[in-house]
Amino acid sequence: MLADTQMAPEPVRPPAAAEAGTGLSFDRPRRICAVVNADGGTVRAGGIEAADLAAAFLRHGIEAEVRLVPGEHVVAEAERARAEVLAGRLDAVIVGGGDGTVGTVAGILADSGVVLGVLPLGTLNHFAKDLGLDQDLDGAIATIAAGRLREVDLGEVNGRTFVNNSSVGIYPYMVVDRDRRRSETGQGKWPAMALAFLRMLRRFPRRRLRVQAEGWAAPHRTICLFVGNNPYSIELMTLGRRFTLDSGRLWLFVAKQRSRLELLRFALRAAIGRIDQERDFETLCTGSLRILMRASRVHVAVDGEVTTMRPPLDYRIRPRALRVLAPAAA
């Protein structure tokens, strides 16, 4: 008599997209897991509770398991939720938090076919705004319930995924100083950032580096190197916004300011929408690039969060690597 055996079921992948771009085929999600960063300032300030979020999803016909977890547990919970989608027990993974949290979960789901939904629970919510999502929770949940899919690009630096941008130079310098001040003195986020800006002006740190990209190379000495996932607007009314998320290209900006006075003048011109791309930046559109520098370690900002990496910094675009629930692209 043969012994009874039970084979593990083949993982069920989400339905394939009908076509690239907007309007991808996807049944409206009925069962989801929402991984929410409990350490986010918006979550704490708003007193958001898991039961309230679950009830909000239920009003839109979605059964939601809400996992309200500390930031250090977001990765593990997102990986568990991804496995449940691939096994056919859930339809999508939802992330609630700031851009750093969203970028982390996007990296976990990238190229897996698992669908992501976004709850804009950060301070700035750049990615959610560029997707065209409502900034209130009920509107964002309604978008998730509608089931409209888009495929968007992701950026990557040394294996770390980003949905918005990454930078080297004065921004990560100021973030590190801001966080140190807050830890030591308990200052608020924005007062600490203002003091960090003043300290940056006093020291005015500039980095020597070399940029290599698709057969092109050049040395630079700059206060800031910025790499965007798709093109960023520098116009007054749309400064810092993106109108496409699937061009398949990175956009490099290298700041030209060589003195404190030039930086202050640039800041004033930026405030009134008088940025001149040719005057203020060296720019490049590319699919990949490498940043070389002599430092053994460097602070790198990734979607607003700062991490330490070993140069060289290898950037690449991951075209349409993420399937996300969002309004159709304009």
Side-chain angles (χ1 to χ4, degrees):
M1 181 176 179
L2 295 175
D4 290 337
T5 60
Q6 184 175 13
M7 298 184 65
E10 185 74 10
V12 179
R13 294 181 65 84
E19 58 178 320
T22 61
L24 304 178
S25 65
F26 180 70
D27 292 335
R28 292 184 60 185
R30 301 296 182 186
R31 299 165 300 163
I32 62 95
C33 174
V35 180
V36 180
N37 185 352
D39 294 332
T42 302
V43 174
R44 291 199 306 266
I48 294 173
E49 300 287 346
D52 296 333
L53 283 176
F57 275 105
L58 193 59
R59 288 195 293 270
H60 289 272
I62 298 175
E63 180 184 344
E65 179 186 349
V66 179
R67 300 172 186 172
L68 189 64
V69 297
E72 63 266 25
H73 295 161
V74 165
V75 169
E77 292 299 336
E79 289 175 342
R80 185 156 68 98
R82 178 189 61 184
E84 290 174 297
V85 174
L86 293 175
R89 293 189 290 273
L90 295 173
D91 299 321
V93 177
I94 312 302
V95 59
D99 287 311
T101 301
V102 174
T104 295
V105 176
I108 292 168
L109 304 187
D111 294 317
S112 70
V114 175
V115 172
L116 177 70
V118 177
L119 298 177
L121 293 175
T123 304
L124 299 175
N125 302 313
H126 289 301
F127 184 60
K129 290 175 182 175
D130 291 341
L131 282 172
L133 295 177
D134 285 334
Q135 295 303 292
D136 65 281
L137 271 178
D138 193 68
I141 292 172
T143 296
I144 292 168
R148 182 182 290 274
L149 280 186
R150 288 173 60 186
E151 289 182 334
V152 300
D153 303 337
L154 295 175
E156 184 180 284
V157 52
N158 287 15
R160 172 77 178 264
T161 299
F162 56 92
V163 291
N164 295 330
N165 56 67
S166 171
S167 67
V168 175
I170 60 173
Y171 179 74
Y173 177 94
M174 289 191 298
V175 169
V176 169
D177 190 42
R178 178 200 69 189
D179 292 345
R180 177 188 61 80
R181 290 174 185 277
R182 296 188 70 191
S183 175
E184 292 176 355
T185 67
Q187 286 179 320
K189 182 176 182 179
W190 297 114
M193 194 63 160
L195 290 172
F197 176 78
L198 293 175
R199 183 170 185 265
M200 178 277 298
L201 273 183
R202 187 170 64 251
R203 297 194 61 183
F204 200 69
R206 297 172 68 191
R207 280 200 169 273
R208 293 185 183 275
L209 48 84
R210 185 174 181 83
V211 179
Q212 297 177 344
E214 298 180 347
W216 173 88
H220 295 278
R221 190 178 182 202
T222 181
I223 57 171
C224 181
L225 179 145
F226 175 97
V227 181
N229 169 24
N230 282 265
Y232 273 76
S233 170
I234 61 171
E235 301 299 324
L236 173 60
M237 301 305 296
T238 58
L239 182 65
R241 294 293 303 276
R242 291 171 293 173
F243 297 100
T244 179
L245 295 173
D246 60 0
S247 72
R249 307 294 278 175
L250 296 171
W251 288 72
L252 170 69
F253 295 82
V254 182
K256 290 183 178 181
Q257 295 81 34
R258 294 178 175 84
S259 69
R260 297 172 182 82
L261 184 58
E262 286 184 356
L263 178 59
L264 287 172
R265 286 172 175 167
F266 168 77
L268 290 172
R269 286 189 287 106
I272 60 174
R274 297 293 297 276
I275 295 177
D276 185 320
Q277 181 168 309
E278 184 174 345
R279 172 183 174 181
D280 295 319
F281 303 103
E282 293 186 47
T283 60
L284 180 71
C285 172
T286 181
S288 64
L289 61 102
R290 168 171 279 198
I291 311 299
L292 298 146
M293 59 188 75
R294 291 184 178 179
S296 60
R297 290 180 175 83
V298 61
H299 291 307
V300 181
V302 181
D303 286 333
E305 297 183 348
V306 176
T307 186
T308 302
M309 296 185 179
R310 290 182 178 273
L313 305 179
D314 289 309
Y315 286 88
R316 69 178 179 121
I317 194 75
R318 299 174 65 177
R320 302 194 179 200
L322 182 67
R323 305 177 77 205
V324 60
L325 294 161

